[in-house]
Structure formats: structure tokens, C-alpha cells
Amino acid sequence: MDSDHESDDRPPHRPPVPSRDPYVYTLQSSRHATSPKVCRDFVACVLNSVGQEELVDTATLCTSELATNAFLHAEGDSLMLRVVIEPPRFRVLVYDASVELPTAARLPEGDRLHGRGLGLVAALADAWGTAEGDAVGTYAKGVWFELAGKEEKAEEQPRPFTG
């Protein structure tokens, strides 16, 4: 049944107030060979969406390394990716079911194909480390990295007409 009148109990239309809370985006993924690509693409999409395009290359490389480690070395059948943005900081966490913590990263000598991932993360990220698992207990630990993005610009004030 259609009505010709608008309800008077609706709040007045106001523009949304920007939140001071961090932006958090979460992706649940199977622990599969495609997981690193899916996680990379997710992180790139989030960064492009929030105007932090300059971080995409570094962030996707570091994300790929963490997701690859979870795929190759973790236990369980899934992993969780969490992206937390608290401007100007950007953090990516990859949670898995393994209780084994990663070892400190150092780039290996020579042409070895394995063992470079955390060394790359340590070299490229502003910070990295481990976190306790999720509150539900599905994941035993998280491995994270953090990058500093550009500061959000304050809204420019209109310039007076000096014509």
C-alpha cells in the first residue's frame, strides 16, 4: 500500500560524519595455491579505493609473501586476511592455524629460491611482526606488516575572489 505522505519521524538528511575509527576489511580464503593472488588483489583493491595508490606495489608484494608462507607452511584449510587503515598507517595481517612463529628475516645468500619472503617484507615494510590468533580461536597466529601512507589532506578553504 503506497502512501502519499512522508513520515515526520525520519531524521533530517545530513552528510555522513567521517569516522575516527580505523577502516577494517577482512577476507576469508581457502588455504590454496590461488590464495596469494586473491589476497594481493584484495589489498590492491582496498588501497586503490581509499586513495593510497602509491602503496600498492609494496603492499601487494609483502601480502603475497605472507599469504604464500601461510599456504606453504601453515596448518588448517583456511587463512584470513585483515586490512586495517588508520591514516596514515596501513596494516595487513595474515592469520593461519599454525602455532609456529616465523623466524626473523634475513635475505639468504646466493640463488636459493626459498627463504626470501620475510626478508623482503622486513626490507620493504616500515614494520612487521606477529600477532595472537583471532578471538574465536580458528587461527593460532597472525603475521603482519605496516606501511606509512600519505596524510589525508585537510579540506582546502575556498579562496576569496580577488578579481
Side-chain angles (χ1 to χ4, degrees):
M1 184 168 161
D2 292 330
S3 173
D4 289 336
H5 76 286
E6 293 184 23
S7 172
D8 291 337
D9 59 350
R10 288 188 298 169
H13 177 64
R14 291 185 206 138
V17 177
S19 173
R20 298 237 180 251
D21 295 331
Y23 297 103
V24 179
Y25 303 88
T26 304
L27 173 71
Q28 195 82 25
S29 173
S30 298
R31 204 176 116 239
H32 188 268
T34 60
S35 298
K37 179 180 179 2
V38 171
C39 291
R40 270 194 317 266
D41 291 350
F42 182 80
V43 167
C45 182
V46 169
L47 284 171
N48 285 320
S49 296
V50 298
Q52 296 288 341
E53 296 86 357
E54 75 282 356
L55 297 179
V56 170
D57 291 339
T58 302
T60 55
L61 177 59
C62 291
T63 299
S64 186
E65 295 301 333
L66 297 187
T68 298
N69 282 350
F71 166 66
L72 292 175
H73 306 295
E75 301 168 2
D77 59 357
S78 67
L79 59 93
M80 180 173 59
L81 174 77
R82 180 157 292 151
V83 178
V84 180
I85 301 172
E86 293 182 90
R89 295 181 335 202
F90 167 79
R91 180 178 279 198
V92 172
L93 300 98
V94 176
Y95 290 93
D96 63 53
S98 175
V99 295
E100 188 174 332
L101 295 176
T103 56
R106 188 175 67 98
L107 291 175
E109 301 294 327
D111 294 333
R112 286 188 19 208
L113 296 177
H114 298 287
R116 296 179 183 275
L118 288 176
L120 286 172
V121 172
L124 295 173
D126 294 319
W128 78 278
T130 59
E132 292 184 14
D134 66 317
V136 178
T138 303
Y139 301 102
K141 71 159 182 316
V143 181
W144 58 268
F145 69 88
E146 189 170 277
L147 301 172
K150 63 184 176 189
E151 291 280 345
E152 289 184 11
K153 295 179 183 176
E155 282 188 39
E156 293 182 11
Q157 298 297 321
R159 294 183 193 159
F161 180 74
T162 57

